[in-house]
Short mmCIF file of all heavy atoms in Angstrom, two decimals:
data_model
loop_
_atom_site.label_atom_id
_atom_site.label_comp_id
_atom_site.label_asym_id
_atom_site.label_seq_id
_atom_site.Cartn_x
_atom_site.Cartn_y
_atom_site.Cartn_z
N MET R 1357 35.81 6.69 -17.88
CA MET R 1357 35.20 5.64 -18.67
C MET R 1357 36.27 5.07 -19.58
O MET R 1357 37.12 5.76 -20.11
CB MET R 1357 34.07 6.20 -19.52
CG MET R 1357 33.35 5.16 -20.31
SD MET R 1357 31.91 5.87 -21.11
CE MET R 1357 32.22 5.42 -22.76
N PHE R 1358 36.27 3.76 -19.75
CA PHE R 1358 37.23 3.08 -20.61
C PHE R 1358 36.52 2.43 -21.77
O PHE R 1358 35.37 2.02 -21.64
CB PHE R 1358 37.99 2.01 -19.79
CG PHE R 1358 38.83 2.60 -18.70
CD1 PHE R 1358 38.36 2.66 -17.40
CD2 PHE R 1358 40.10 3.08 -18.98
CE1 PHE R 1358 39.15 3.20 -16.39
CE2 PHE R 1358 40.89 3.60 -17.98
CZ PHE R 1358 40.41 3.67 -16.69
N THR R 1359 37.24 2.33 -22.88
CA THR R 1359 36.72 1.63 -24.04
C THR R 1359 37.86 0.86 -24.70
O THR R 1359 39.01 1.24 -24.59
CB THR R 1359 36.08 2.63 -25.05
OG1 THR R 1359 35.47 1.88 -26.10
CG2 THR R 1359 37.11 3.57 -25.63
N GLY R 1360 37.54 -0.23 -25.36
CA GLY R 1360 38.54 -1.05 -26.01
C GLY R 1360 39.11 -0.40 -27.26
O GLY R 1360 38.38 0.26 -28.00
N ILE R 1361 40.41 -0.58 -27.46
CA ILE R 1361 41.07 -0.08 -28.67
C ILE R 1361 42.06 -1.14 -29.15
O ILE R 1361 42.40 -2.06 -28.40
CB ILE R 1361 41.82 1.25 -28.44
CG1 ILE R 1361 42.82 1.13 -27.31
CG2 ILE R 1361 40.84 2.38 -28.15
CD1 ILE R 1361 43.68 2.39 -27.10
N SER R 1362 42.51 -1.04 -30.39
CA SER R 1362 43.46 -2.00 -30.93
C SER R 1362 44.84 -1.80 -30.33
O SER R 1362 45.14 -0.75 -29.76
CB SER R 1362 43.55 -1.83 -32.46
OG SER R 1362 44.17 -0.60 -32.77
N LYS R 1363 45.69 -2.81 -30.46
CA LYS R 1363 47.07 -2.72 -29.98
C LYS R 1363 47.80 -1.54 -30.64
O LYS R 1363 48.51 -0.79 -29.98
CB LYS R 1363 47.84 -4.00 -30.26
CG LYS R 1363 47.46 -5.16 -29.38
CD LYS R 1363 48.31 -6.37 -29.70
CE LYS R 1363 47.78 -7.04 -30.95
NZ LYS R 1363 48.34 -8.34 -31.23
N GLU R 1364 47.58 -1.41 -31.93
CA GLU R 1364 48.24 -0.33 -32.67
C GLU R 1364 47.84 1.03 -32.13
O GLU R 1364 48.66 1.91 -31.93
CB GLU R 1364 47.92 -0.44 -34.18
CG GLU R 1364 48.50 -1.65 -34.85
CD GLU R 1364 47.70 -2.93 -34.63
OE1 GLU R 1364 46.55 -2.87 -34.13
OE2 GLU R 1364 48.23 -4.00 -34.96
N LYS R 1365 46.55 1.20 -31.91
CA LYS R 1365 46.03 2.46 -31.38
C LYS R 1365 46.55 2.70 -29.97
O LYS R 1365 46.90 3.83 -29.61
CB LYS R 1365 44.49 2.43 -31.39
CG LYS R 1365 43.84 3.76 -31.25
CD LYS R 1365 44.09 4.60 -32.50
CE LYS R 1365 42.88 5.43 -32.80
NZ LYS R 1365 43.16 6.34 -33.90
N ALA R 1366 46.61 1.65 -29.16
CA ALA R 1366 47.11 1.78 -27.78
C ALA R 1366 48.56 2.25 -27.78
O ALA R 1366 48.93 3.16 -27.03
CB ALA R 1366 46.98 0.45 -27.06
N LEU R 1367 49.39 1.64 -28.63
CA LEU R 1367 50.79 2.04 -28.70
C LEU R 1367 50.94 3.47 -29.22
O LEU R 1367 51.77 4.24 -28.74
CB LEU R 1367 51.57 1.06 -29.56
CG LEU R 1367 51.74 -0.33 -28.98
CD1 LEU R 1367 52.34 -1.27 -30.00
CD2 LEU R 1367 52.57 -0.28 -27.72
N GLU R 1368 50.10 3.82 -30.18
CA GLU R 1368 50.13 5.18 -30.72
C GLU R 1368 49.79 6.18 -29.62
O GLU R 1368 50.47 7.21 -29.44
CB GLU R 1368 49.14 5.31 -31.89
CG GLU R 1368 49.05 6.68 -32.48
CD GLU R 1368 47.93 6.76 -33.53
OE1 GLU R 1368 47.69 5.75 -34.22
OE2 GLU R 1368 47.32 7.82 -33.63
N LYS R 1369 48.72 5.92 -28.88
CA LYS R 1369 48.29 6.83 -27.82
C LYS R 1369 49.36 6.91 -26.73
O LYS R 1369 49.66 8.00 -26.22
CB LYS R 1369 46.95 6.40 -27.24
CG LYS R 1369 45.79 6.69 -28.18
CD LYS R 1369 44.48 6.26 -27.54
CE LYS R 1369 43.31 6.61 -28.42
NZ LYS R 1369 43.06 8.04 -28.54
N MET R 1370 49.94 5.78 -26.36
CA MET R 1370 50.96 5.77 -25.32
C MET R 1370 52.19 6.57 -25.76
O MET R 1370 52.77 7.32 -24.97
CB MET R 1370 51.38 4.34 -24.99
CG MET R 1370 52.25 4.27 -23.78
SD MET R 1370 52.73 2.59 -23.46
CE MET R 1370 54.47 2.81 -23.34
N SER R 1371 52.57 6.45 -27.05
CA SER R 1371 53.73 7.19 -27.54
C SER R 1371 53.47 8.70 -27.53
O SER R 1371 54.42 9.47 -27.52
CB SER R 1371 54.10 6.72 -28.94
OG SER R 1371 53.14 7.16 -29.88
N LYS R 1372 52.21 9.08 -27.49
CA LYS R 1372 51.86 10.50 -27.42
C LYS R 1372 51.65 10.96 -25.98
O LYS R 1372 51.18 12.05 -25.73
CB LYS R 1372 50.61 10.77 -28.24
CG LYS R 1372 50.84 10.60 -29.74
CD LYS R 1372 49.58 10.85 -30.53
CE LYS R 1372 49.85 10.69 -32.01
NZ LYS R 1372 48.65 10.84 -32.81
N GLY R 1373 51.99 10.08 -25.01
CA GLY R 1373 51.90 10.46 -23.59
C GLY R 1373 50.59 10.19 -22.91
O GLY R 1373 50.37 10.55 -21.76
N LYS R 1374 49.65 9.54 -23.60
CA LYS R 1374 48.35 9.21 -22.99
C LYS R 1374 48.48 7.98 -22.09
O LYS R 1374 49.28 7.10 -22.35
CB LYS R 1374 47.31 8.93 -24.07
CG LYS R 1374 47.10 10.03 -25.06
CD LYS R 1374 45.98 10.89 -24.61
CE LYS R 1374 45.73 11.94 -25.71
NZ LYS R 1374 44.65 12.76 -25.42
N ALA R 1375 47.69 7.92 -21.04
CA ALA R 1375 47.65 6.75 -20.18
C ALA R 1375 46.83 5.66 -20.85
O ALA R 1375 45.68 5.89 -21.24
CB ALA R 1375 47.07 7.09 -18.83
N VAL R 1376 47.42 4.49 -21.02
CA VAL R 1376 46.73 3.36 -21.63
C VAL R 1376 46.86 2.18 -20.66
O VAL R 1376 47.93 1.94 -20.11
CB VAL R 1376 47.37 2.99 -23.00
CG1 VAL R 1376 46.69 1.78 -23.61
CG2 VAL R 1376 47.31 4.18 -23.95
N TYR R 1377 45.78 1.47 -20.44
CA TYR R 1377 45.76 0.37 -19.50
C TYR R 1377 45.50 -0.95 -20.22
O TYR R 1377 44.84 -1.00 -21.26
CB TYR R 1377 44.69 0.58 -18.43
CG TYR R 1377 45.01 1.76 -17.55
CD1 TYR R 1377 44.58 3.04 -17.89
CD2 TYR R 1377 45.77 1.62 -16.39
CE1 TYR R 1377 44.91 4.15 -17.12
CE2 TYR R 1377 46.09 2.70 -15.60
CZ TYR R 1377 45.66 3.96 -15.98
OH TYR R 1377 45.99 5.05 -15.19
N VAL R 1378 46.01 -2.03 -19.61
CA VAL R 1378 45.84 -3.37 -20.13
C VAL R 1378 44.92 -4.12 -19.17
O VAL R 1378 45.13 -4.08 -17.96
CB VAL R 1378 47.18 -4.11 -20.22
CG1 VAL R 1378 46.99 -5.55 -20.64
CG2 VAL R 1378 48.11 -3.37 -21.18
N VAL R 1379 43.93 -4.82 -19.69
CA VAL R 1379 43.10 -5.70 -18.90
C VAL R 1379 43.60 -7.11 -19.16
O VAL R 1379 43.53 -7.61 -20.28
CB VAL R 1379 41.61 -5.55 -19.29
CG1 VAL R 1379 40.76 -6.60 -18.57
CG2 VAL R 1379 41.12 -4.16 -19.02
N ASP R 1380 44.15 -7.72 -18.12
CA ASP R 1380 44.71 -9.06 -18.24
C ASP R 1380 43.68 -10.08 -17.78
O ASP R 1380 43.57 -10.38 -16.61
CB ASP R 1380 46.00 -9.16 -17.44
CG ASP R 1380 46.73 -10.47 -17.67
OD1 ASP R 1380 46.17 -11.36 -18.33
OD2 ASP R 1380 47.87 -10.59 -17.19
N ARG R 1381 42.91 -10.60 -18.72
CA ARG R 1381 41.84 -11.53 -18.38
C ARG R 1381 42.36 -12.89 -17.94
O ARG R 1381 41.61 -13.72 -17.42
CB ARG R 1381 40.86 -11.67 -19.54
CG ARG R 1381 40.17 -10.35 -19.86
CD ARG R 1381 39.00 -10.52 -20.79
NE ARG R 1381 38.44 -9.24 -21.15
CZ ARG R 1381 37.59 -8.55 -20.42
NH1 ARG R 1381 37.21 -9.02 -19.27
NH2 ARG R 1381 37.12 -7.41 -20.83
N ASN R 1382 43.65 -13.16 -18.12
CA ASN R 1382 44.23 -14.41 -17.68
C ASN R 1382 44.54 -14.41 -16.19
O ASN R 1382 44.89 -15.44 -15.63
CB ASN R 1382 45.52 -14.71 -18.46
CG ASN R 1382 45.24 -14.94 -19.93
OD1 ASN R 1382 44.28 -15.62 -20.27
ND2 ASN R 1382 46.04 -14.37 -20.78
N ASN R 1383 44.45 -13.24 -15.55
CA ASN R 1383 44.79 -13.15 -14.13
C ASN R 1383 43.62 -12.70 -13.29
O ASN R 1383 43.75 -11.86 -12.41
CB ASN R 1383 45.98 -12.20 -13.94
CG ASN R 1383 47.26 -12.81 -14.43
OD1 ASN R 1383 47.47 -14.01 -14.31
ND2 ASN R 1383 48.12 -12.01 -15.01
N GLU R 1384 42.46 -13.28 -13.53
CA GLU R 1384 41.29 -12.98 -12.70
C GLU R 1384 41.49 -13.59 -11.32
O GLU R 1384 42.06 -14.67 -11.19
CB GLU R 1384 40.02 -13.59 -13.31
CG GLU R 1384 39.54 -12.90 -14.55
CD GLU R 1384 38.23 -13.49 -15.04
OE1 GLU R 1384 37.36 -13.82 -14.21
OE2 GLU R 1384 38.08 -13.62 -16.26
N ASP R 1385 41.01 -12.92 -10.29
CA ASP R 1385 41.08 -13.51 -8.95
C ASP R 1385 39.85 -14.44 -8.75
O ASP R 1385 39.02 -14.61 -9.63
CB ASP R 1385 41.19 -12.45 -7.86
CG ASP R 1385 39.95 -11.57 -7.74
OD1 ASP R 1385 38.90 -11.93 -8.27
OD2 ASP R 1385 40.07 -10.51 -7.08
N ALA R 1386 39.76 -15.05 -7.58
CA ALA R 1386 38.70 -16.02 -7.30
C ALA R 1386 37.31 -15.43 -7.42
O ALA R 1386 36.34 -16.13 -7.69
CB ALA R 1386 38.90 -16.60 -5.90
N LEU R 1387 37.20 -14.09 -7.26
CA LEU R 1387 35.88 -13.44 -7.35
C LEU R 1387 35.58 -12.95 -8.76
O LEU R 1387 34.55 -12.31 -9.00
CB LEU R 1387 35.83 -12.27 -6.36
CG LEU R 1387 36.00 -12.63 -4.88
CD1 LEU R 1387 36.05 -11.38 -4.04
CD2 LEU R 1387 34.88 -13.56 -4.44
N GLY R 1388 36.49 -13.17 -9.69
CA GLY R 1388 36.28 -12.73 -11.07
C GLY R 1388 36.73 -11.30 -11.31
O GLY R 1388 36.43 -10.74 -12.36
N ASN R 1389 37.42 -10.70 -10.34
CA ASN R 1389 37.94 -9.34 -10.53
C ASN R 1389 39.14 -9.37 -11.48
O ASN R 1389 39.99 -10.25 -11.37
CB ASN R 1389 38.36 -8.73 -9.20
CG ASN R 1389 37.18 -8.57 -8.26
OD1 ASN R 1389 36.11 -8.15 -8.68
ND2 ASN R 1389 37.36 -8.92 -7.01
N ILE R 1390 39.17 -8.41 -12.35
CA ILE R 1390 40.26 -8.32 -13.32
C ILE R 1390 41.04 -7.03 -13.08
O ILE R 1390 40.44 -5.97 -12.94
CB ILE R 1390 39.70 -8.32 -14.77
CG1 ILE R 1390 38.91 -9.59 -15.02
CG2 ILE R 1390 40.81 -8.18 -15.79
CD1 ILE R 1390 38.12 -9.59 -16.29
N GLN R 1391 42.35 -7.15 -13.03
CA GLN R 1391 43.18 -5.96 -12.81
C GLN R 1391 43.35 -5.18 -14.09
O GLN R 1391 43.41 -5.74 -15.18
CB GLN R 1391 44.58 -6.37 -12.33
CG GLN R 1391 44.65 -6.80 -10.91
CD GLN R 1391 46.10 -6.99 -10.51
OE1 GLN R 1391 46.90 -7.49 -11.29
NE2 GLN R 1391 46.42 -6.60 -9.30
N MET R 1392 43.46 -3.86 -13.93
CA MET R 1392 43.82 -2.97 -15.03
C MET R 1392 45.23 -2.49 -14.72
O MET R 1392 45.50 -1.92 -13.67
CB MET R 1392 42.87 -1.80 -15.12
CG MET R 1392 41.50 -2.20 -15.61
SD MET R 1392 40.33 -0.84 -15.76
CE MET R 1392 41.28 0.51 -16.36
N ILE R 1393 46.14 -2.75 -15.64
CA ILE R 1393 47.56 -2.45 -15.44
C ILE R 1393 48.03 -1.47 -16.50
O ILE R 1393 47.70 -1.65 -17.68
CB ILE R 1393 48.37 -3.76 -15.52
CG1 ILE R 1393 47.86 -4.75 -14.46
CG2 ILE R 1393 49.85 -3.52 -15.35
CD1 ILE R 1393 47.97 -6.17 -14.85
N PRO R 1394 48.77 -0.44 -16.12
CA PRO R 1394 49.29 0.49 -17.13
C PRO R 1394 50.13 -0.26 -18.17
O PRO R 1394 50.96 -1.10 -17.84
CB PRO R 1394 50.15 1.46 -16.34
CG PRO R 1394 49.61 1.40 -14.93
CD PRO R 1394 49.15 -0.02 -14.77
N LEU R 1395 49.89 0.02 -19.43
CA LEU R 1395 50.62 -0.61 -20.52
C LEU R 1395 52.13 -0.43 -20.36
O LEU R 1395 52.91 -1.32 -20.65
CB LEU R 1395 50.15 -0.05 -21.88
CG LEU R 1395 50.83 -0.60 -23.12
CD1 LEU R 1395 50.68 -2.12 -23.20
CD2 LEU R 1395 50.24 0.05 -24.37
N ALA R 1396 52.55 0.73 -19.88
CA ALA R 1396 53.96 1.01 -19.69
C ALA R 1396 54.60 -0.02 -18.76
O ALA R 1396 55.77 -0.38 -18.94
CB ALA R 1396 54.16 2.42 -19.16
N ASN R 1397 53.85 -0.53 -17.77
CA ASN R 1397 54.39 -1.55 -16.87
C ASN R 1397 54.74 -2.83 -17.62
O ASN R 1397 55.70 -3.51 -17.28
CB ASN R 1397 53.39 -1.90 -15.76
CG ASN R 1397 53.24 -0.78 -14.73
OD1 ASN R 1397 53.78 0.32 -14.90
ND2 ASN R 1397 52.49 -1.04 -13.69
N TYR R 1398 53.94 -3.18 -18.60
CA TYR R 1398 54.21 -4.37 -19.39
C TYR R 1398 55.42 -4.18 -20.30
O TYR R 1398 56.14 -5.10 -20.60
CB TYR R 1398 53.01 -4.74 -20.28
CG TYR R 1398 52.00 -5.60 -19.57
CD1 TYR R 1398 50.77 -5.08 -19.19
CD2 TYR R 1398 52.25 -6.93 -19.27
CE1 TYR R 1398 49.84 -5.85 -18.53
CE2 TYR R 1398 51.32 -7.71 -18.63
CZ TYR R 1398 50.12 -7.17 -18.26
OH TYR R 1398 49.20 -7.95 -17.62
N LEU R 1399 55.61 -2.95 -20.77
CA LEU R 1399 56.65 -2.69 -21.75
C LEU R 1399 58.02 -2.39 -21.14
O LEU R 1399 59.03 -2.48 -21.83
CB LEU R 1399 56.22 -1.52 -22.66
CG LEU R 1399 54.94 -1.76 -23.44
CD1 LEU R 1399 54.58 -0.52 -24.26
CD2 LEU R 1399 55.05 -2.98 -24.33
N ASN R 1400 58.07 -2.06 -19.84
CA ASN R 1400 59.34 -1.77 -19.20
C ASN R 1400 60.23 -2.99 -19.25
O ASN R 1400 59.80 -4.09 -18.99
CB ASN R 1400 59.15 -1.33 -17.74
CG ASN R 1400 58.62 0.07 -17.63
OD1 ASN R 1400 58.76 0.86 -18.54
ND2 ASN R 1400 58.00 0.37 -16.49
N GLY R 1401 61.48 -2.77 -19.58
CA GLY R 1401 62.46 -3.85 -19.61
C GLY R 1401 62.44 -4.69 -20.88
O GLY R 1401 63.25 -5.58 -21.05
N LEU R 1402 61.53 -4.39 -21.79
CA LEU R 1402 61.49 -5.13 -23.05
C LEU R 1402 62.37 -4.42 -24.09
O LEU R 1402 62.52 -3.21 -24.05
CB LEU R 1402 60.06 -5.23 -23.59
CG LEU R 1402 59.06 -5.97 -22.72
CD1 LEU R 1402 57.69 -5.94 -23.38
CD2 LEU R 1402 59.50 -7.40 -22.47
N GLU R 1403 62.90 -5.17 -24.99
CA GLU R 1403 63.68 -4.61 -26.10
C GLU R 1403 62.93 -4.95 -27.38
O GLU R 1403 62.55 -6.11 -27.60
CB GLU R 1403 65.07 -5.25 -26.11
CG GLU R 1403 65.98 -4.67 -27.13
CD GLU R 1403 67.38 -5.21 -27.04
OE1 GLU R 1403 67.74 -5.78 -25.99
OE2 GLU R 1403 68.12 -5.07 -28.02
N PHE R 1404 62.71 -3.96 -28.21
CA PHE R 1404 61.97 -4.17 -29.44
C PHE R 1404 62.92 -4.22 -30.60
O PHE R 1404 63.80 -3.38 -30.74
CB PHE R 1404 60.94 -3.03 -29.63
CG PHE R 1404 59.94 -2.99 -28.50
CD1 PHE R 1404 60.16 -2.21 -27.39
CD2 PHE R 1404 58.81 -3.78 -28.55
CE1 PHE R 1404 59.27 -2.21 -26.33
CE2 PHE R 1404 57.90 -3.78 -27.52
CZ PHE R 1404 58.12 -2.99 -26.40
N LEU R 1405 62.74 -5.22 -31.45
CA LEU R 1405 63.62 -5.44 -32.58
C LEU R 1405 62.81 -5.38 -33.87
O LEU R 1405 61.67 -5.83 -33.94
CB LEU R 1405 64.30 -6.80 -32.48
CG LEU R 1405 65.03 -7.08 -31.19
CD1 LEU R 1405 65.52 -8.52 -31.15
CD2 LEU R 1405 66.20 -6.14 -31.01
N GLU R 1406 63.44 -4.85 -34.88
CA GLU R 1406 62.79 -4.77 -36.20
C GLU R 1406 63.61 -5.62 -37.16
O GLU R 1406 64.84 -5.58 -37.14
CB GLU R 1406 62.79 -3.31 -36.66
CG GLU R 1406 62.21 -3.12 -38.04
CD GLU R 1406 62.28 -1.69 -38.51
OE1 GLU R 1406 63.02 -0.88 -37.93
OE2 GLU R 1406 61.58 -1.38 -39.49
N ASP R 1407 62.94 -6.38 -37.99
CA ASP R 1407 63.61 -7.20 -38.99
C ASP R 1407 63.91 -6.30 -40.18
O ASP R 1407 63.01 -5.78 -40.81
CB ASP R 1407 62.70 -8.37 -39.40
CG ASP R 1407 63.41 -9.36 -40.31
OD1 ASP R 1407 64.65 -9.30 -40.40
OD2 ASP R 1407 62.72 -10.19 -40.90
N VAL R 1408 65.19 -6.13 -40.46
CA VAL R 1408 65.60 -5.29 -41.59
C VAL R 1408 66.48 -6.12 -42.52
O VAL R 1408 67.13 -7.08 -42.09
CB VAL R 1408 66.37 -4.03 -41.11
CG1 VAL R 1408 65.49 -3.13 -40.30
CG2 VAL R 1408 67.61 -4.40 -40.32
N PRO R 1409 66.52 -5.76 -43.79
CA PRO R 1409 67.35 -6.53 -44.72
C PRO R 1409 68.83 -6.38 -44.36
O PRO R 1409 69.28 -5.33 -43.92
CB PRO R 1409 67.07 -5.89 -46.08
CG PRO R 1409 66.11 -4.81 -45.87
CD PRO R 1409 65.79 -4.69 -44.41
N ALA R 1410 69.57 -7.47 -44.54
CA ALA R 1410 71.00 -7.45 -44.26
C ALA R 1410 71.71 -6.60 -45.31
O ALA R 1410 71.32 -6.55 -46.48
CB ALA R 1410 71.56 -8.85 -44.29
N VAL R 1411 72.75 -5.92 -44.87
CA VAL R 1411 73.56 -5.10 -45.77
C VAL R 1411 74.93 -5.76 -45.86
O VAL R 1411 75.60 -5.93 -44.83
CB VAL R 1411 73.69 -3.64 -45.25
CG1 VAL R 1411 74.59 -2.83 -46.15
CG2 VAL R 1411 72.33 -3.02 -45.09
N PRO R 1412 75.35 -6.16 -47.06
CA PRO R 1412 76.65 -6.82 -47.18
C PRO R 1412 77.78 -5.90 -46.70
O PRO R 1412 77.77 -4.70 -46.97
CB PRO R 1412 76.79 -7.08 -48.68
CG PRO R 1412 75.41 -6.99 -49.23
CD PRO R 1412 74.67 -6.05 -48.34
N ASN R 1413 78.73 -6.48 -45.99
CA ASN R 1413 79.90 -5.74 -45.50
C ASN R 1413 81.12 -6.41 -46.08
O ASN R 1413 81.56 -7.46 -45.62
CB ASN R 1413 79.92 -5.77 -43.98
CG ASN R 1413 81.08 -4.98 -43.41
OD1 ASN R 1413 82.09 -4.77 -44.06
ND2 ASN R 1413 80.93 -4.56 -42.16
N PRO R 1414 81.73 -5.80 -47.12
CA PRO R 1414 82.88 -6.42 -47.79
C PRO R 1414 84.07 -6.64 -46.82
O PRO R 1414 84.77 -7.62 -46.96
CB PRO R 1414 83.27 -5.42 -48.88
CG PRO R 1414 82.17 -4.43 -48.96
CD PRO R 1414 81.34 -4.55 -47.73
N ASP R 1415 84.27 -5.75 -45.86
CA ASP R 1415 85.37 -5.93 -44.91
C ASP R 1415 85.17 -7.19 -44.07
O ASP R 1415 86.10 -7.96 -43.84
CB ASP R 1415 85.50 -4.71 -43.99
CG ASP R 1415 85.92 -3.45 -44.74
OD1 ASP R 1415 86.54 -3.58 -45.81
OD2 ASP R 1415 85.57 -2.36 -44.27
N PHE R 1416 83.94 -7.40 -43.63
CA PHE R 1416 83.62 -8.58 -42.83
C PHE R 1416 83.78 -9.84 -43.67
O PHE R 1416 84.37 -10.83 -43.23
CB PHE R 1416 82.20 -8.47 -42.26
CG PHE R 1416 81.78 -9.67 -41.47
CD1 PHE R 1416 82.29 -9.87 -40.19
CD2 PHE R 1416 80.91 -10.60 -42.00
CE1 PHE R 1416 81.92 -10.98 -39.44
CE2 PHE R 1416 80.52 -11.70 -41.25
CZ PHE R 1416 81.03 -11.91 -39.98
N GLU R 1417 83.25 -9.81 -44.89
CA GLU R 1417 83.36 -10.96 -45.77
C GLU R 1417 84.84 -11.31 -46.04
O GLU R 1417 85.22 -12.47 -46.07
CB GLU R 1417 82.62 -10.71 -47.07
CG GLU R 1417 81.10 -10.68 -46.88
CD GLU R 1417 80.35 -10.31 -48.16
OE1 GLU R 1417 80.98 -10.27 -49.25
OE2 GLU R 1417 79.15 -10.06 -48.06
N GLY R 1418 85.65 -10.27 -46.23
CA GLY R 1418 87.08 -10.50 -46.45
C GLY R 1418 87.76 -11.11 -45.24
O GLY R 1418 88.59 -12.01 -45.36
N ALA R 1419 87.41 -10.64 -44.05
CA ALA R 1419 88.00 -11.17 -42.82
C ALA R 1419 87.61 -12.63 -42.62
O ALA R 1419 88.43 -13.46 -42.23
CB ALA R 1419 87.55 -10.33 -41.63
N VAL R 1420 86.35 -12.97 -42.93
CA VAL R 1420 85.91 -14.36 -42.82
C VAL R 1420 86.66 -15.23 -43.81
O VAL R 1420 87.14 -16.33 -43.48
CB VAL R 1420 84.37 -14.48 -43.04
CG1 VAL R 1420 83.95 -15.93 -43.17
CG2 VAL R 1420 83.63 -13.79 -41.90
N GLN R 1421 86.81 -14.75 -45.02
CA GLN R 1421 87.54 -15.52 -46.04
C GLN R 1421 89.00 -15.72 -45.62
O GLN R 1421 89.54 -16.81 -45.79
CB GLN R 1421 87.46 -14.81 -47.40
CG GLN R 1421 87.93 -15.68 -48.55
CD GLN R 1421 87.13 -16.96 -48.69
OE1 GLN R 1421 85.90 -16.93 -48.67
NE2 GLN R 1421 87.80 -18.07 -48.81
N ASP R 1422 89.63 -14.71 -45.01
CA ASP R 1422 91.00 -14.84 -44.52
C ASP R 1422 91.08 -15.91 -43.44
O ASP R 1422 92.03 -16.69 -43.40
CB ASP R 1422 91.52 -13.51 -43.98
CG ASP R 1422 91.75 -12.47 -45.08
OD1 ASP R 1422 91.79 -12.86 -46.28
OD2 ASP R 1422 91.87 -11.27 -44.72
N MET R 1423 90.08 -15.94 -42.52
CA MET R 1423 90.07 -16.96 -41.46
C MET R 1423 89.92 -18.36 -42.07
O MET R 1423 90.57 -19.30 -41.61
CB MET R 1423 88.95 -16.68 -40.46
CG MET R 1423 89.21 -15.52 -39.55
SD MET R 1423 87.96 -15.36 -38.24
CE MET R 1423 86.60 -14.63 -39.15
N ILE R 1424 89.07 -18.48 -43.04
CA ILE R 1424 88.88 -19.79 -43.69
C ILE R 1424 90.17 -20.24 -44.38
O ILE R 1424 90.61 -21.39 -44.21
CB ILE R 1424 87.70 -19.73 -44.70
CG1 ILE R 1424 86.37 -19.54 -43.97
CG2 ILE R 1424 87.67 -20.97 -45.58
CD1 ILE R 1424 85.20 -19.23 -44.86
N ASN R 1425 90.78 -19.33 -45.11
CA ASN R 1425 92.04 -19.66 -45.81
C ASN R 1425 93.11 -20.05 -44.79
O ASN R 1425 93.88 -21.00 -45.00
CB ASN R 1425 92.50 -18.50 -46.68
CG ASN R 1425 91.56 -18.26 -47.83
OD1 ASN R 1425 90.79 -19.15 -48.23
ND2 ASN R 1425 91.62 -17.06 -48.40
N SER R 1426 93.20 -19.32 -43.69
CA SER R 1426 94.18 -19.59 -42.65
C SER R 1426 93.94 -20.96 -42.04
O SER R 1426 94.88 -21.70 -41.76
CB SER R 1426 94.10 -18.51 -41.58
OG SER R 1426 94.96 -18.81 -40.52
N ALA R 1427 92.70 -21.33 -41.81
CA ALA R 1427 92.36 -22.62 -41.23
C ALA R 1427 92.76 -23.75 -42.17
O ALA R 1427 93.28 -24.79 -41.73
CB ALA R 1427 90.87 -22.69 -40.91
N TYR R 1428 92.55 -23.57 -43.48
CA TYR R 1428 92.93 -24.61 -44.44
C TYR R 1428 94.46 -24.74 -44.56
O TYR R 1428 94.96 -25.83 -44.77
CB TYR R 1428 92.32 -24.34 -45.83
CG TYR R 1428 90.87 -24.74 -45.92
CD1 TYR R 1428 89.88 -23.83 -46.26
CD2 TYR R 1428 90.48 -26.06 -45.69
CE1 TYR R 1428 88.56 -24.19 -46.35
CE2 TYR R 1428 89.16 -26.44 -45.78
CZ TYR R 1428 88.21 -25.49 -46.10
OH TYR R 1428 86.90 -25.89 -46.20
N GLU R 1429 95.18 -23.65 -44.39
CA GLU R 1429 96.63 -23.70 -44.49
C GLU R 1429 97.23 -24.49 -43.34
O GLU R 1429 98.27 -25.12 -43.48
CB GLU R 1429 97.20 -22.26 -44.46
CG GLU R 1429 96.91 -21.50 -45.74
CD GLU R 1429 97.30 -20.02 -45.65
OE1 GLU R 1429 97.84 -19.62 -44.62
OE2 GLU R 1429 97.06 -19.32 -46.63
N LYS R 1430 96.56 -24.48 -42.16
CA LYS R 1430 97.08 -25.17 -40.98
C LYS R 1430 96.81 -26.66 -41.06
O LYS R 1430 97.41 -27.45 -40.33
CB LYS R 1430 96.44 -24.60 -39.71
CG LYS R 1430 96.90 -23.20 -39.42
CD LYS R 1430 96.24 -22.66 -38.17
CE LYS R 1430 96.68 -21.23 -37.95
NZ LYS R 1430 96.04 -20.64 -36.77
N VAL R 1431 95.88 -27.11 -41.92
CA VAL R 1431 95.50 -28.52 -42.00
C VAL R 1431 96.42 -29.27 -42.88
O VAL R 1431 97.23 -29.19 -43.52
CB VAL R 1431 94.06 -28.71 -42.53
CG1 VAL R 1431 93.72 -30.13 -42.73
CG2 VAL R 1431 93.10 -28.02 -41.59
#
């Protein structure tokens, strides 16, 4: 038996090794049949990114400033 759960709950259960399925209602066939697809199939090949605050890097800033100064010296 299947029951609906939130995305957060689905990801939590999947991370604990439980089988979680996705019902893709956008891909019904002509008879109205809807496929159930393992969530892992949707997530394979995806890369997940988190937005984190930038950390200043003085070495990088110094190198950029050197490049700028060098470019102005050539002009």
Side-chain angles (χ1 to χ4, degrees):
M1357 183 173 126
F1358 295 97
T1359 186
I1361 56 175
S1362 68
K1363 286 182 281 190
E1364 294 79 12
K1365 196 70 144 174
L1367 291 172
E1368 178 186 327
K1369 287 181 177 291
M1370 190 181 128
S1371 71
K1372 292 179 179 176
K1374 302 267 184 177
V1376 178
Y1377 294 88
V1378 175
V1379 173
D1380 188 352
R1381 296 193 185 278
N1382 295 318
N1383 288 325
E1384 288 184 39
D1385 66 16
L1387 299 175
N1389 296 317
I1390 301 171
Q1391 284 188 321
M1392 289 180 38
I1393 302 149
L1395 179 57
N1397 288 7
Y1398 274 108
L1399 300 178
N1400 285 339
L1402 298 178
E1403 185 174 342
F1404 298 92
L1405 306 173
E1406 178 183 16
D1407 188 14
V1408 295
V1411 178
N1413 182 336
D1415 295 334
F1416 178 75
E1417 290 175 11
V1420 170
Q1421 192 59 48
D1422 290 345
M1423 286 188 283
I1424 293 169
N1425 293 340
S1426 175
Y1428 281 121
E1429 289 172 2
K1430 291 179 182 178
V1431 175

